Amino acid sequence: MTQDEQKRAAAEAAIQYVPENCIVGVGTGSTANYFIDALARIKHKIEGAVASSEATSSRLAAHGIRVFDLNDIDSLTVYIDGADEINRDLQMIKGGGGALTREKIVAAVAETFVCVADQNKIVQILGKFPLPVEVIPMARSHVARQIMRLGGQPALREGFITDNGNIILDVRGLQIHHPAELEASLDEITGIVTNGLFAKRGADVLLLGTDKGVETISR
Ligand code: 5RP
């Protein structure tokens, strides 16, 4: 299977985690897009979806799936999203598409987080993929200095503004042996809106597209 076929297989397998009559949280990226396309086929069985980005919202709406504001719902049974890297403890780096803040918010509300990914995303130690950090624009230099103190090398994602009107610093050079601790340390830096470590709230289930089919890894 190609990488795209693995993404599609994992995304399609996630449909089994969507209960009837529910509102489903939907992530952002190419794997999430495959999930949206699969969701469209059962759209008559669900109430609708909450989107983690403007791009996802548009794709859901284009399929005729009702998009709810997160503030208008009390709970969310399941959130389906991809990852840039994921370890065997189901901790992730996310934000390659720049949607990390809304993704983390929707994930925080969901009872179950199902990550859908191809086999290239699984790693022993997080950090080869540059860690995305969403930053308030006026704090860019301050945040960059603080990140360098933690051993990272931040680079501005050129020409990119998030759905929230902020910038992204992509941080290289981090060997992330303790993801939850680093996530908490980054959260303490004034000016950072969100960092792309999803360790405190990792995934509950990983559906991993491989050459041999879809592997399910649960916590
Ligand atoms: C977007 C994300 C995506 O989940 C991540 O970038 C994976 O993307 P893809 O499914 O295209 O490989 O975090 O902000």
Side-chain angles (χ1 to χ4, degrees), residues 3-4 7 27-34 52-53 79-85 92-101 103 113 115-118 121 129 132 157 160 168 196 198:
Q3 186 177 16
D4 268 347
K7 288 181 183 197
T28 297
S30 56
T31 319
N33 283 345
Y34 283 128
S52 62
S53 65
Y79 177 57
I80 315 283
D81 197 2
D84 297 302
E85 282 184 353
M92 295 160 280
I93 286 181
K94 290 185 46 54
L100 59 161
T101 297
E103 291 173 341
F113 184 150
C115 178
V116 284
D118 60 273
K121 305 294 181 60
F129 190 92
R157 195 178 293 185
F160 186 86
I168 297 277
F198 285 56

mmCIF file of all heavy atoms in Angstrom, residues 3-4 7 27-34 52-53 79-85 92-101 103 113 115-118 121 129 132 157 160 168 196 198, ligand 1:
data_model
loop_
_atom_site.group_PDB
_atom_site.id
_atom_site.type_symbol
_atom_site.label_atom_id
_atom_site.label_comp_id
_atom_site.label_asym_id
_atom_site.label_seq_id
_atom_site.Cartn_x
_atom_site.Cartn_y
_atom_site.Cartn_z
ATOM 1 N N GLN A 3 1.542 5.311 0.872
ATOM 2 C CA GLN A 3 1.258 6.081 2.092
ATOM 3 C C GLN A 3 -0.177 6.615 2.061
ATOM 4 O O GLN A 3 -0.884 6.582 3.062
ATOM 5 C CB GLN A 3 2.265 7.233 2.216
ATOM 6 C CG GLN A 3 2.140 7.996 3.512
ATOM 7 C CD GLN A 3 3.180 9.097 3.659
ATOM 8 O OE1 GLN A 3 3.820 9.488 2.692
ATOM 9 N NE2 GLN A 3 3.339 9.594 4.860
ATOM 10 N N ASP A 4 -0.592 7.088 0.899
ATOM 11 C CA ASP A 4 -1.966 7.617 0.791
ATOM 12 C C ASP A 4 -3.005 6.516 1.009
ATOM 13 O O ASP A 4 -4.040 6.747 1.637
ATOM 14 C CB ASP A 4 -2.183 8.270 -0.578
ATOM 15 C CG ASP A 4 -1.882 9.756 -0.526
ATOM 16 O OD1 ASP A 4 -1.751 10.292 0.598
ATOM 17 O OD2 ASP A 4 -1.771 10.377 -1.594
ATOM 18 N N LYS A 7 -3.241 5.907 4.664
ATOM 19 C CA LYS A 7 -4.023 6.971 5.314
ATOM 20 C C LYS A 7 -5.515 6.724 5.110
ATOM 21 O O LYS A 7 -6.310 6.819 6.044
ATOM 22 C CB LYS A 7 -3.665 8.346 4.714
ATOM 23 C CG LYS A 7 -2.315 8.866 5.106
ATOM 24 C CD LYS A 7 -2.052 10.239 4.489
ATOM 25 C CE LYS A 7 -0.645 10.711 4.858
ATOM 26 N NZ LYS A 7 -0.440 12.138 4.667
ATOM 27 N N GLY A 27 -10.735 16.275 12.759
ATOM 28 C CA GLY A 27 -9.440 16.928 12.693
ATOM 29 C C GLY A 27 -9.147 17.538 11.332
ATOM 30 O O GLY A 27 -10.048 17.748 10.513
ATOM 31 N N THR A 28 -7.856 17.797 11.123
ATOM 32 C CA THR A 28 -7.425 18.544 9.940
ATOM 33 C C THR A 28 -6.246 17.821 9.289
ATOM 34 O O THR A 28 -5.403 17.255 9.984
ATOM 35 C CB THR A 28 -6.992 19.962 10.378
ATOM 36 O OG1 THR A 28 -8.128 20.622 10.926
ATOM 37 C CG2 THR A 28 -6.459 20.773 9.199
ATOM 38 N N GLY A 29 -6.196 17.879 7.962
ATOM 39 C CA GLY A 29 -5.070 17.286 7.238
ATOM 40 C C GLY A 29 -5.547 16.282 6.215
ATOM 41 O O GLY A 29 -6.750 16.056 6.056
ATOM 42 N N SER A 30 -4.592 15.669 5.528
ATOM 43 C CA SER A 30 -4.969 14.775 4.427
ATOM 44 C C SER A 30 -5.641 13.501 4.942
ATOM 45 O O SER A 30 -6.576 12.990 4.310
ATOM 46 C CB SER A 30 -3.737 14.435 3.586
ATOM 47 O OG SER A 30 -2.725 13.882 4.392
ATOM 48 N N THR A 31 -5.205 12.981 6.086
ATOM 49 C CA THR A 31 -5.844 11.768 6.627
ATOM 50 C C THR A 31 -7.245 12.105 7.128
ATOM 51 O O THR A 31 -8.199 11.347 6.891
ATOM 52 C CB THR A 31 -4.984 11.156 7.756
ATOM 53 O OG1 THR A 31 -3.606 11.224 7.391
ATOM 54 C CG2 THR A 31 -5.371 9.706 7.994
ATOM 55 N N ALA A 32 -7.368 13.246 7.800
ATOM 56 C CA ALA A 32 -8.698 13.687 8.243
ATOM 57 C C ALA A 32 -9.620 13.915 7.038
ATOM 58 O O ALA A 32 -10.825 13.636 7.116
ATOM 59 C CB ALA A 32 -8.577 14.955 9.083
ATOM 60 N N ASN A 33 -9.054 14.383 5.941
ATOM 61 C CA ASN A 33 -9.884 14.571 4.739
ATOM 62 C C ASN A 33 -10.452 13.247 4.235
ATOM 63 O O ASN A 33 -11.612 13.170 3.812
ATOM 64 C CB ASN A 33 -9.073 15.250 3.630
ATOM 65 C CG ASN A 33 -8.924 16.741 3.867
ATOM 66 O OD1 ASN A 33 -9.640 17.323 4.690
ATOM 67 N ND2 ASN A 33 -8.009 17.366 3.155
ATOM 68 N N TYR A 34 -9.625 12.186 4.285
ATOM 69 C CA TYR A 34 -10.149 10.867 3.901
ATOM 70 C C TYR A 34 -11.280 10.458 4.846
ATOM 71 O O TYR A 34 -12.268 9.845 4.427
ATOM 72 C CB TYR A 34 -9.039 9.805 3.939
ATOM 73 C CG TYR A 34 -8.084 9.858 2.758
ATOM 74 C CD1 TYR A 34 -6.712 9.910 2.948
ATOM 75 C CD2 TYR A 34 -8.565 9.833 1.446
ATOM 76 C CE1 TYR A 34 -5.830 9.945 1.875
ATOM 77 C CE2 TYR A 34 -7.694 9.867 0.365
ATOM 78 C CZ TYR A 34 -6.337 9.928 0.587
ATOM 79 O OH TYR A 34 -5.474 9.961 -0.487
ATOM 80 N N SER A 52 -12.110 21.212 13.394
ATOM 81 C CA SER A 52 -10.920 21.737 14.072
ATOM 82 C C SER A 52 -10.199 22.803 13.249
ATOM 83 O O SER A 52 -9.111 23.247 13.636
ATOM 84 C CB SER A 52 -9.953 20.594 14.373
ATOM 85 O OG SER A 52 -9.535 20.020 13.150
ATOM 86 N N SER A 53 -10.788 23.188 12.111
ATOM 87 C CA SER A 53 -10.177 24.237 11.283
ATOM 88 C C SER A 53 -11.206 24.740 10.279
ATOM 89 O O SER A 53 -12.230 24.083 10.035
ATOM 90 C CB SER A 53 -8.967 23.695 10.518
ATOM 91 O OG SER A 53 -9.392 22.710 9.595
ATOM 92 N N TYR A 79 -13.444 12.088 18.770
ATOM 93 C CA TYR A 79 -12.680 13.006 17.916
ATOM 94 C C TYR A 79 -11.740 12.169 17.053
ATOM 95 O O TYR A 79 -10.996 11.325 17.569
ATOM 96 C CB TYR A 79 -11.871 13.970 18.786
ATOM 97 C CG TYR A 79 -10.992 14.925 18.011
ATOM 98 C CD1 TYR A 79 -11.532 15.772 17.057
ATOM 99 C CD2 TYR A 79 -9.609 14.986 18.236
ATOM 100 C CE1 TYR A 79 -10.728 16.656 16.346
ATOM 101 C CE2 TYR A 79 -8.806 15.876 17.540
ATOM 102 C CZ TYR A 79 -9.378 16.705 16.596
ATOM 103 O OH TYR A 79 -8.578 17.588 15.895
ATOM 104 N N ILE A 80 -11.771 12.396 15.753
ATOM 105 C CA ILE A 80 -10.927 11.641 14.822
ATOM 106 C C ILE A 80 -9.950 12.614 14.172
ATOM 107 O O ILE A 80 -10.364 13.614 13.575
ATOM 108 C CB ILE A 80 -11.769 10.975 13.695
ATOM 109 C CG1 ILE A 80 -13.038 10.299 14.225
ATOM 110 C CG2 ILE A 80 -10.901 10.047 12.854
ATOM 111 C CD1 ILE A 80 -12.884 8.989 14.892
ATOM 112 N N ASP A 81 -8.653 12.316 14.266
ATOM 113 C CA ASP A 81 -7.669 13.224 13.678
ATOM 114 C C ASP A 81 -6.377 12.476 13.369
ATOM 115 O O ASP A 81 -6.115 11.408 13.918
ATOM 116 C CB ASP A 81 -7.396 14.382 14.656
ATOM 117 C CG ASP A 81 -6.716 15.578 13.980
ATOM 118 O OD1 ASP A 81 -6.483 15.537 12.764
ATOM 119 O OD2 ASP A 81 -6.427 16.559 14.697
ATOM 120 N N GLY A 82 -5.580 13.067 12.508
ATOM 121 C CA GLY A 82 -4.277 12.517 12.155
ATOM 122 C C GLY A 82 -3.200 12.995 13.112
ATOM 123 O O GLY A 82 -3.474 13.621 14.138
ATOM 124 N N ALA A 83 -1.943 12.697 12.754
ATOM 125 C CA ALA A 83 -0.800 13.142 13.563
ATOM 126 C C ALA A 83 0.416 13.243 12.654
ATOM 127 O O ALA A 83 0.481 12.603 11.603
ATOM 128 C CB ALA A 83 -0.529 12.159 14.688
ATOM 129 N N ASP A 84 1.369 14.051 13.088
ATOM 130 C CA ASP A 84 2.641 14.140 12.358
ATOM 131 C C ASP A 84 3.619 13.089 12.860
ATOM 132 O O ASP A 84 4.407 12.546 12.088
ATOM 133 C CB ASP A 84 3.225 15.544 12.514
ATOM 134 C CG ASP A 84 2.302 16.574 11.893
ATOM 135 O OD1 ASP A 84 2.022 16.461 10.691
ATOM 136 O OD2 ASP A 84 1.816 17.457 12.621
ATOM 137 N N GLU A 85 3.572 12.826 14.158
ATOM 138 C CA GLU A 85 4.317 11.719 14.772
ATOM 139 C C GLU A 85 3.492 11.182 15.924
ATOM 140 O O GLU A 85 2.783 11.938 16.597
ATOM 141 C CB GLU A 85 5.670 12.192 15.345
ATOM 142 C CG GLU A 85 6.763 12.390 14.348
ATOM 143 C CD GLU A 85 8.109 12.758 14.993
ATOM 144 O OE1 GLU A 85 8.176 12.988 16.220
ATOM 145 O OE2 GLU A 85 9.080 12.815 14.248
ATOM 146 N N MET A 92 1.579 12.433 20.815
ATOM 147 C CA MET A 92 1.750 12.870 19.429
ATOM 148 C C MET A 92 2.425 14.226 19.304
ATOM 149 O O MET A 92 2.375 15.038 20.216
ATOM 150 C CB MET A 92 0.368 13.019 18.752
ATOM 151 C CG MET A 92 -0.392 11.729 18.609
ATOM 152 S SD MET A 92 -2.173 12.044 18.361
ATOM 153 C CE MET A 92 -2.678 12.357 20.031
ATOM 154 N N ILE A 93 2.988 14.454 18.117
ATOM 155 C CA ILE A 93 3.250 15.809 17.623
ATOM 156 C C ILE A 93 2.202 16.069 16.565
ATOM 157 O O ILE A 93 1.996 15.251 15.661
ATOM 158 C CB ILE A 93 4.660 15.948 17.015
ATOM 159 C CG1 ILE A 93 5.712 15.964 18.117
ATOM 160 C CG2 ILE A 93 4.758 17.219 16.165
ATOM 161 C CD1 ILE A 93 7.141 16.132 17.634
ATOM 162 N N LYS A 94 1.528 17.217 16.684
ATOM 163 C CA LYS A 94 0.520 17.619 15.705
ATOM 164 C C LYS A 94 0.749 19.101 15.354
ATOM 165 O O LYS A 94 1.490 19.798 16.016
ATOM 166 C CB LYS A 94 -0.891 17.439 16.285
ATOM 167 C CG LYS A 94 -1.258 15.960 16.438
ATOM 168 C CD LYS A 94 -2.685 15.733 16.884
ATOM 169 C CE LYS A 94 -3.706 16.549 16.166
ATOM 170 N NZ LYS A 94 -3.646 16.409 14.687
ATOM 171 N N GLY A 95 0.086 19.506 14.293
ATOM 172 C CA GLY A 95 0.179 20.913 13.911
ATOM 173 C C GLY A 95 0.918 21.159 12.620
ATOM 174 O O GLY A 95 1.150 22.311 12.251
ATOM 175 N N GLY A 96 1.270 20.060 11.921
ATOM 176 C CA GLY A 96 1.913 20.233 10.618
ATOM 177 C C GLY A 96 1.058 21.080 9.684
ATOM 178 O O GLY A 96 1.565 21.827 8.848
ATOM 179 N N GLY A 97 -0.243 20.969 9.858
ATOM 180 C CA GLY A 97 -1.168 21.779 9.049
ATOM 181 C C GLY A 97 -1.527 23.106 9.711
ATOM 182 O O GLY A 97 -2.313 23.882 9.157
ATOM 183 N N GLY A 98 -0.975 23.332 10.891
ATOM 184 C CA GLY A 98 -1.169 24.619 11.564
ATOM 185 C C GLY A 98 -2.456 24.750 12.354
ATOM 186 O O GLY A 98 -2.769 25.822 12.858
ATOM 187 N N ALA A 99 -3.171 23.640 12.521
ATOM 188 C CA ALA A 99 -4.487 23.712 13.190
ATOM 189 C C ALA A 99 -4.420 23.252 14.646
ATOM 190 O O ALA A 99 -5.447 22.948 15.250
ATOM 191 C CB ALA A 99 -5.500 22.872 12.412
ATOM 192 N N LEU A 100 -3.203 23.235 15.217
ATOM 193 C CA LEU A 100 -3.013 22.586 16.519
ATOM 194 C C LEU A 100 -3.887 23.135 17.639
ATOM 195 O O LEU A 100 -4.360 22.381 18.498
ATOM 196 C CB LEU A 100 -1.543 22.627 16.925
ATOM 197 C CG LEU A 100 -0.862 23.989 17.069
ATOM 198 C CD1 LEU A 100 0.401 23.833 17.906
ATOM 199 C CD2 LEU A 100 -0.464 24.561 15.725
ATOM 200 N N THR A 101 -4.144 24.434 17.655
ATOM 201 C CA THR A 101 -4.901 24.996 18.780
ATOM 202 C C THR A 101 -6.335 24.489 18.783
ATOM 203 O O THR A 101 -6.832 23.982 19.796
ATOM 204 C CB THR A 101 -4.869 26.533 18.736
ATOM 205 O OG1 THR A 101 -3.509 26.941 18.883
ATOM 206 C CG2 THR A 101 -5.693 27.137 19.855
ATOM 207 N N GLU A 103 -7.413 21.931 17.231
ATOM 208 C CA GLU A 103 -7.368 20.468 17.402
ATOM 209 C C GLU A 103 -7.278 20.110 18.885
ATOM 210 O O GLU A 103 -7.956 19.195 19.360
ATOM 211 C CB GLU A 103 -6.167 19.892 16.643
ATOM 212 C CG GLU A 103 -6.314 19.986 15.126
ATOM 213 C CD GLU A 103 -5.080 19.578 14.353
ATOM 214 O OE1 GLU A 103 -3.975 19.550 14.923
ATOM 215 O OE2 GLU A 103 -5.205 19.311 13.151
ATOM 216 N N PHE A 113 -10.383 9.942 21.744
ATOM 217 C CA PHE A 113 -9.594 10.482 20.638
ATOM 218 C C PHE A 113 -9.073 9.299 19.833
ATOM 219 O O PHE A 113 -8.296 8.490 20.340
ATOM 220 C CB PHE A 113 -8.431 11.307 21.202
ATOM 221 C CG PHE A 113 -7.569 12.025 20.179
ATOM 222 C CD1 PHE A 113 -6.945 13.219 20.515
ATOM 223 C CD2 PHE A 113 -7.346 11.532 18.902
ATOM 224 C CE1 PHE A 113 -6.142 13.910 19.613
ATOM 225 C CE2 PHE A 113 -6.557 12.202 17.986
ATOM 226 C CZ PHE A 113 -5.942 13.390 18.351
ATOM 227 N N CYS A 115 -6.803 8.398 16.763
ATOM 228 C CA CYS A 115 -5.817 8.926 15.818
ATOM 229 C C CYS A 115 -5.754 8.007 14.608
ATOM 230 O O CYS A 115 -5.723 6.777 14.753
ATOM 231 C CB CYS A 115 -4.444 9.007 16.485
ATOM 232 S SG CYS A 115 -3.154 9.609 15.374
ATOM 233 N N VAL A 116 -5.748 8.597 13.439
ATOM 234 C CA VAL A 116 -5.661 7.841 12.189
ATOM 235 C C VAL A 116 -4.371 8.259 11.479
ATOM 236 O O VAL A 116 -4.135 9.442 11.269
ATOM 237 C CB VAL A 116 -6.901 8.068 11.297
ATOM 238 C CG1 VAL A 116 -8.079 7.285 11.832
ATOM 239 C CG2 VAL A 116 -7.295 9.544 11.178
ATOM 240 N N ALA A 117 -3.541 7.272 11.145
ATOM 241 C CA ALA A 117 -2.229 7.623 10.603
ATOM 242 C C ALA A 117 -1.673 6.483 9.758
ATOM 243 O O ALA A 117 -2.076 5.330 9.909
ATOM 244 C CB ALA A 117 -1.261 7.924 11.753
ATOM 245 N N ASP A 118 -0.724 6.836 8.909
ATOM 246 C CA ASP A 118 0.002 5.822 8.142
ATOM 247 C C ASP A 118 1.243 5.407 8.927
ATOM 248 O O ASP A 118 1.657 6.089 9.869
ATOM 249 C CB ASP A 118 0.381 6.373 6.767
ATOM 250 C CG ASP A 118 1.260 7.604 6.883
ATOM 251 O OD1 ASP A 118 0.706 8.713 6.994
ATOM 252 O OD2 ASP A 118 2.489 7.460 6.925
ATOM 253 N N LYS A 121 4.246 7.448 10.499
ATOM 254 C CA LYS A 121 4.080 8.404 11.593
ATOM 255 C C LYS A 121 4.514 7.841 12.949
ATOM 256 O O LYS A 121 4.666 8.598 13.905
ATOM 257 C CB LYS A 121 2.614 8.845 11.685
ATOM 258 C CG LYS A 121 2.040 9.425 10.396
ATOM 259 C CD LYS A 121 2.693 10.716 10.038
ATOM 260 C CE LYS A 121 2.162 11.372 8.783
ATOM 261 N NZ LYS A 121 0.781 11.709 8.799
ATOM 262 N N PHE A 129 10.132 15.231 13.660
ATOM 263 C CA PHE A 129 9.262 16.207 12.999
ATOM 264 C C PHE A 129 9.336 17.512 13.795
ATOM 265 O O PHE A 129 9.173 17.504 15.019
ATOM 266 C CB PHE A 129 7.811 15.702 12.963
ATOM 267 C CG PHE A 129 6.910 16.535 12.100
ATOM 268 C CD1 PHE A 129 6.716 16.228 10.766
ATOM 269 C CD2 PHE A 129 6.269 17.653 12.622
ATOM 270 C CE1 PHE A 129 5.896 17.014 9.958
ATOM 271 C CE2 PHE A 129 5.449 18.446 11.832
ATOM 272 C CZ PHE A 129 5.266 18.116 10.497
ATOM 273 N N PRO A 132 5.496 22.114 16.006
ATOM 274 C CA PRO A 132 4.816 23.390 15.745
ATOM 275 C C PRO A 132 4.358 24.055 17.048
ATOM 276 O O PRO A 132 3.866 23.389 17.960
ATOM 277 C CB PRO A 132 3.595 22.970 14.902
ATOM 278 C CG PRO A 132 3.870 21.579 14.440
ATOM 279 C CD PRO A 132 4.697 20.966 15.539
ATOM 280 N N ARG A 157 7.349 29.827 10.434
ATOM 281 C CA ARG A 157 6.710 29.245 9.248
ATOM 282 C C ARG A 157 6.317 30.412 8.339
ATOM 283 O O ARG A 157 5.352 31.123 8.614
ATOM 284 C CB ARG A 157 5.492 28.397 9.631
ATOM 285 C CG ARG A 157 5.020 27.502 8.493
ATOM 286 C CD ARG A 157 3.854 26.628 8.902
ATOM 287 N NE ARG A 157 4.175 25.624 9.895
ATOM 288 C CZ ARG A 157 3.314 24.694 10.316
ATOM 289 N NH1 ARG A 157 2.088 24.648 9.803
ATOM 290 N NH2 ARG A 157 3.678 23.819 11.238
ATOM 291 N N PHE A 160 2.617 32.022 6.728
ATOM 292 C CA PHE A 160 1.491 31.239 7.273
ATOM 293 C C PHE A 160 0.880 31.958 8.477
ATOM 294 O O PHE A 160 1.591 32.352 9.402
ATOM 295 C CB PHE A 160 1.974 29.848 7.706
ATOM 296 C CG PHE A 160 0.856 28.931 8.134
ATOM 297 C CD1 PHE A 160 0.161 28.175 7.198
ATOM 298 C CD2 PHE A 160 0.460 28.858 9.466
ATOM 299 C CE1 PHE A 160 -0.890 27.346 7.588
ATOM 300 C CE2 PHE A 160 -0.590 28.039 9.863
ATOM 301 C CZ PHE A 160 -1.261 27.279 8.917
ATOM 302 N N ILE A 168 3.214 30.588 13.410
ATOM 303 C CA ILE A 168 3.717 29.286 13.868
ATOM 304 C C ILE A 168 5.245 29.328 13.877
ATOM 305 O O ILE A 168 5.869 29.772 12.905
ATOM 306 C CB ILE A 168 3.269 28.142 12.914
ATOM 307 C CG1 ILE A 168 1.746 27.989 12.875
ATOM 308 C CG2 ILE A 168 3.955 26.827 13.281
ATOM 309 C CD1 ILE A 168 1.128 27.183 13.973
ATOM 310 N N GLY A 196 2.437 21.909 19.914
ATOM 311 C CA GLY A 196 1.922 20.756 19.176
ATOM 312 C C GLY A 196 2.134 19.415 19.830
ATOM 313 O O GLY A 196 1.881 18.379 19.205
ATOM 314 N N PHE A 198 0.833 16.623 22.024
ATOM 315 C CA PHE A 198 -0.427 16.102 22.561
ATOM 316 C C PHE A 198 -0.050 14.907 23.423
ATOM 317 O O PHE A 198 -0.138 13.755 22.991
ATOM 318 C CB PHE A 198 -1.371 15.693 21.428
ATOM 319 C CG PHE A 198 -2.042 16.827 20.701
ATOM 320 C CD1 PHE A 198 -1.307 17.841 20.110
ATOM 321 C CD2 PHE A 198 -3.426 16.870 20.598
ATOM 322 C CE1 PHE A 198 -1.937 18.890 19.436
ATOM 323 C CE2 PHE A 198 -4.070 17.907 19.921
ATOM 324 C CZ PHE A 198 -3.315 18.920 19.342
HETATM 325 C C1 5RP B 1 -2.805 19.446 11.258
HETATM 326 C C2 5RP B 1 -2.367 18.183 11.910
HETATM 327 C C3 5RP B 1 -2.465 16.924 11.114
HETATM 328 O O1 5RP B 1 -3.169 15.989 11.852
HETATM 329 C C4 5RP B 1 -1.089 16.405 10.820
HETATM 330 O O2 5RP B 1 -0.353 17.439 10.191
HETATM 331 C C5 5RP B 1 -1.133 15.162 9.937
HETATM 332 O O3 5RP B 1 -1.493 15.519 8.647
HETATM 333 P P1 5RP B 1 -1.675 14.462 7.496
HETATM 334 O O4 5RP B 1 -2.870 13.635 7.841
HETATM 335 O O5 5RP B 1 -1.879 15.307 6.253
HETATM 336 O O6 5RP B 1 -0.430 13.632 7.398
HETATM 337 O O7 5RP B 1 -1.968 18.144 13.033
HETATM 338 O O8 5RP B 1 -2.604 20.551 12.076
#
